[in-house]
Structures are given as C-alpha cells and as structure tokens.
Amino acid sequence: MRLLHNPLVALLAAILAAVGLILLTGQHPNLQWEAACAVAAICVVLALAVRGAMLRRAEATAKAIAKIGAVPAAQVTAGVPAEDIRIFQPIFSAVRNTAEAVERDHERLSESRLQLEVLLEGMQDAVLGLDAAGRVQWSNSAMQRLMQGTPVRHGRALVHTFRDPAVLACVQGTLDSGTAQECRSELLAHGSIFHVTASPLPGGGAVVVLRDTTRFEAVERQQRDFVANVSHELRTPLTSVVGYVETVLDTEPLTPAGHDFLETVLKNASRMHRLTEDLLMLAKVERGDVVIEPHPIAASMLVEDALRTVSVATYAEGADLEVGEVTEQRVMADEHAIQQVLGNLLENALKYSSGLEKEPHVIVSARAVENAVEFSVRDFGPGIASEHLPRIFERFYRVEKARSREKGGTGLGLSIAKQLIEQHGGRIWVESDLGQGSNFLFTLPLAS
C-alpha cells in the first residue's frame, strides 16, 4: 500500500486495472455494469491515495523550507523522502540562499541602526524626528536634557513638546514644502538662544536639530561692542589729525620732503578715519540701530541717482559708466541705504578695474524678475577666483590684501552692503571668472 504513495505507481496501477477490466468484459459481456463500477471505485481510491501522498509531500517540503536558516543544512531534509529531496532541491537551495541574504541584510541594518543611535546620543545638539503628520517619533539624550526633566512626548504632535511659535512654524514649513528651513528661538529655554534647522526626510517627516548658540552670540556681541567702542574713541582724534594736516598743507610753506611726508600722513589718517566710520556703520547695522524705512521708488531712479553721485568722484575720472537694461517698476527700498550699497559696488568696480583697463567700463542694470527687481553692477576687471567667492561678503575679507590697501579699501563695504540688502528682504551675491570681470547682483522686493 505504501507504493501507492508514489503518484506514478498509483497511475500505473489504475491503468493496469482498467485494462484488466476491459479484457474481462470482452470475455463476459454481461459484466459490463459491474466492471464500470469497479473502474470508478478504483479511480476514487487511487485519487484519494494520490491526494494524500501529495499533501504529505507538500507538508514535508513546507516543514523543510521552514527549517532553512533556523537549523543546520543536514537537518533541513530530515523526514523528507529521498525522491522529494531530489525534486525540490533547487527550491531548497534558492530559499536557503534567500534566507541567508535576508539574514545578512538584517545584520547590516541592525549594525547601521546601532551606529546611528550611538551617533545621535553622542551629539551635543538636540535632535528629534517627526513623521509626516508632525508627530514626534524619536529623540536623543540631548533633547531630553534640554526639556529639563519634562519627557519628550513621543507619538504626540510637536506642540505638546515645544510652544515656541517660531519653531512650530519652521517645522511645519518643512513638512508642507519638503525643503529645509531655519529659525532662531529664544523661548525654548530660559536665558538660552537656539538655532533651529528642520530638514525633510525622503519618506515624509522631518529631522529637527537645535543648536545652543548662546555663548557664541554673547562672544560675538562683545566683539561688536568692543570694535564699536574703539572706533568711536578713535574717530575724534583721527578727525583732528586729518583736519590739522590738511590745514598745514594748505597754509604753510613746506619743503618738498615735508610736503610728501604730510601727504603720507594725510593718506593713512584718512584711511583710518574711513575704517572707523565703516566699523561704526557696520556695528549699527548689525545691532539694528540703523532703521530701514522702505518706501516705493522706481528702480530706474535708484540707478540714475547712484551713477550721478559716483560720476563726480575722483576714482571715476575717465571711467565709462554705462546704463544697461533698466525697468521702470517700483521697489520697496530705503533710498539712502540702497544708494550706499550701489555706491560701494560701483566704487569697488571702478577701483579694481583701473590700471587694468585704459578706460574702466562698468554697466549698471535693473531688470524685473519674479516678485522682485534684480540690480547688477558689472565690471570687466581681473575677476575673482572661485575659492574667494563664498567669503567675499565677510568682514575684512580681501581677495588681494596689498591691492586693497593701495586702493584705500577697508574690507567692510561688501559686508555692510550684505546687511543692508538682507534688512530689505533681498539677497546679494557675486558671479565672477578670472580674467572675465565680476558681476555683483542683489534683489529688492517689488512694491505692492
């Protein structure tokens, strides 16, 4: 009976039985009905036997596959008939290889997760993760310390952890737009200032990083105050020195050597005086003491006024000041502040082009862009190397220090321009290639 467990043997037995019954009915025609019933009964019995055999083999194979990866390979096929092992061996091998690959991937993921946890726990910055709905999913120990004993509410909306509107708006903006956003917060912890960065996650949600900048901002504020105080103390004596030297040069008879000596004194005293004035101006702008009062004004008028002012300066003698494309649209601008920005950019363009061109050529333009007007001051001087471009708007940064001193530059004009443009809600940048000149651009918002 065990032979019938093999489907091929059972099929062969059924065929033989049917043939035998056909021969029997040929010799005894009166037994046809009985023979038909017998064939039907044999088929039913054999079908049940085959079904049972197939179920047993499928069950044994399933158990063997289930053991793959959990027990040694030699024990996988224990209890499985040899013929089934031969038939299903490719399946066993494929499943075993897949199980091993899954196990390796699982180990790598576990190791990566552990490394990420160690990295997050080792960070001094507070970090938390949000899902697409804005619910807190995880946080590091620095975040727990920031909460000063109040637990971070995982699985709840961020508003249950932070109440600062600036932080909530920053994070919500990242969740809505899918772009990184930053803000400054003074309400997360008493007496502390935090720089908050919210970055989107590929699958939805965001990572929020909070960096404590309290000490950094305090040191920076002390430096600014020190520079402002020193500049203020130097301004009065420098003004006196410049005034007395100019008086002597204009009224007293001097030898050629004495005249050259006093000219050198005047040149350097004037440069120091200008430096102190720029330092005081920058300190006021950074502290917010300079009040920007934007009002609607035509972009063309700003360009014309700036060119009219610069054209009479000594450094503009012999220069070709060209007006490029200029729009008549109005922008929101503090006229005095923008004149200072354009004046600084034009002065730099003319001074650093002189000596390299027989006639320095500068093009000033203002074209309409989306929701703004883009101003441009283009020169055809030596250009700026790419490594200097990211730092060109830093305080006291000079591309060519010797040439800047020779031209009387303080290294503060572009920094002041950047602060003023940002206070207007615009941005300023530079495009330049060595030997091709430089193009300084800034935007101002359109007047509604």
Side-chain angles (χ1 to χ4, degrees):
M1 189 65 184
R2 185 173 182 81
L3 289 175
L4 295 179
H5 291 175
N6 190 316
L8 295 177
V9 174
L11 179 61
L12 181 59
I15 293 173
L16 292 175
V19 171
L21 288 174
I22 291 172
L23 294 176
L24 181 62
T25 55
Q27 296 176 0
H28 304 280
N30 59 329
L31 296 179
Q32 288 183 356
W33 174 250
E34 290 80 355
C37 292
V39 170
I42 292 173
C43 289
V44 171
V45 172
L46 291 177
L48 293 174
V50 170
R51 178 179 178 276
M54 294 300 293
L55 288 175
R56 285 190 293 273
R57 296 175 74 171
E59 183 179 356
T61 303
K63 289 180 179 179
I65 292 175
K67 293 178 183 177
I68 293 177
V71 300
Q75 299 180 20
V76 170
T77 57
V80 181
E83 183 180 358
D84 289 356
I85 294 175
R86 179 178 60 80
I87 295 174
F88 293 106
Q89 186 61 43
I91 298 177
F92 290 157
S93 299
V95 174
R96 183 184 298 110
N97 293 337
T98 302
E100 292 173 353
V102 170
E103 182 65 23
R104 288 193 299 269
D105 291 343
H106 179 72
E107 291 176 357
R108 283 196 294 268
L109 288 174
S110 298
E111 183 178 356
S112 298
R113 182 180 181 84
L114 179 60
Q115 291 175 351
L116 180 60
E117 289 177 355
V118 172
L119 176 63
L120 289 173
E121 291 302 316
M123 291 179 64
Q124 297 298 315
D125 299 334
V127 185
L128 57 81
L130 308 174
D131 62 12
R135 293 184 293 265
V136 179
Q137 298 300 306
W138 50 265
S139 60
N140 65 349
S141 56
M143 178 62 71
Q144 301 289 349
R145 292 193 298 270
L146 172 62
M147 299 307 296
Q148 299 178 350
T150 303
V152 178
R153 299 186 177 183
H154 293 170
R156 303 290 296 278
L158 185 61
V159 70
H160 294 285
T161 301
F162 297 141
R163 297 299 177 90
D164 187 346
V167 176
L168 296 175
C170 174
V171 174
Q172 191 60 47
T174 296
L175 293 174
D176 292 341
S177 65
T179 58
Q181 299 198 19
E182 300 178 355
C183 69
R184 183 175 180 272
S185 174
E186 298 182 17
L187 302 178
L188 294 178
H190 180 69
S192 298
I193 302 172
F194 288 89
H195 179 264
V196 182
T197 303
S199 302
L201 291 173
V207 173
V208 184
V209 180
L210 299 92
R211 173 165 296 179
D212 191 340
T213 59
T214 307
R215 293 182 61 186
F216 172 78
E217 293 201 14
V219 171
E220 193 176 50
R221 184 168 54 253
Q222 291 172 358
Q223 291 176 342
R224 287 198 302 265
D225 292 344
F226 172 76
V227 170
N229 290 335
V230 171
S231 301
H232 182 75
E233 294 299 325
L234 287 174
R235 181 165 61 173
T236 300
L238 282 172
T239 302
S240 299
V241 170
V242 170
Y244 282 123
V245 171
E246 288 178 340
T247 301
V248 172
L249 286 172
D250 292 339
T251 61
E252 297 296 327
L254 299 170
T255 63
H259 187 276
D260 291 342
F261 175 78
L262 287 179
E263 285 286 357
T264 302
V265 172
L266 179 61
K267 176 182 177 181
N268 287 281
S270 298
R271 179 173 173 273
M272 286 295 296
H273 185 265
R274 181 177 178 182
L275 176 61
T276 58
E277 293 294 331
D278 283 351
L279 283 170
L280 286 171
M281 179 63 183
L282 182 61
K284 289 179 181 179
V285 172
E286 291 180 335
R287 285 200 306 260
D289 294 344
V290 176
V291 180
I292 300 297
E293 297 180 351
H295 62 276
I297 184 172
S300 58
M301 184 177 295
L302 292 173
V303 172
E304 292 168 3
D305 289 347
L307 289 175
R308 189 181 304 113
T309 302
V310 170
S311 62
V312 298
T314 55
Y315 56 79
E317 291 181 3
D320 179 14
L321 297 175
E322 178 184 343
V323 178
E325 175 190 356
V326 175
T327 179
E328 294 296 329
Q329 287 190 293
R330 298 195 302 170
V331 295
M332 294 300 295
D334 184 304
E335 187 173 358
H336 176 72
I338 299 305
Q339 289 302 320
Q340 183 172 359
V341 171
L342 285 170
N344 281 338
L345 296 180
L346 283 166
E347 182 179 353
N348 287 345
L350 292 169
K351 283 185 174 180
Y352 291 101
S353 296
S354 61
L356 300 174
E357 297 180 286
K358 292 183 180 179
E359 184 179 279
H361 182 203
V362 177
I363 302 175
V364 185
S365 60
R367 66 185 186 93
V369 294
E370 185 177 0
N371 298 323
V373 170
E374 181 183 274
F375 292 80
S376 167
V377 177
R378 173 92 164 100
D379 68 65
F380 300 88
I384 304 170
S386 58
E387 62 267 22
H388 297 296
L389 296 180
R391 301 187 59 190
I392 197 70
F393 293 98
E394 293 181 7
R395 286 175 289 180
F396 298 110
Y397 189 80
R398 297 182 177 94
V399 176
E400 299 179 52
K401 294 181 174 59
R403 183 174 173 82
S404 180
R405 293 192 187 97
E406 178 187 346
K407 297 296 181 181
T410 64
L412 293 173
L414 291 179
S415 183
I416 293 173
K418 182 175 185 291
Q419 294 286 340
L420 292 174
I421 293 300
E422 289 180 349
Q423 287 194 18
H424 279 79
R427 69 184 188 98
I428 186 170
W429 71 99
V430 59
E431 299 171 353
S432 183
D433 292 308
L434 278 177
Q436 303 297 321
S438 302
N439 190 19
F440 283 84
L441 306 102
F442 65 89
T443 60
L444 293 175
L446 288 175
S448 57

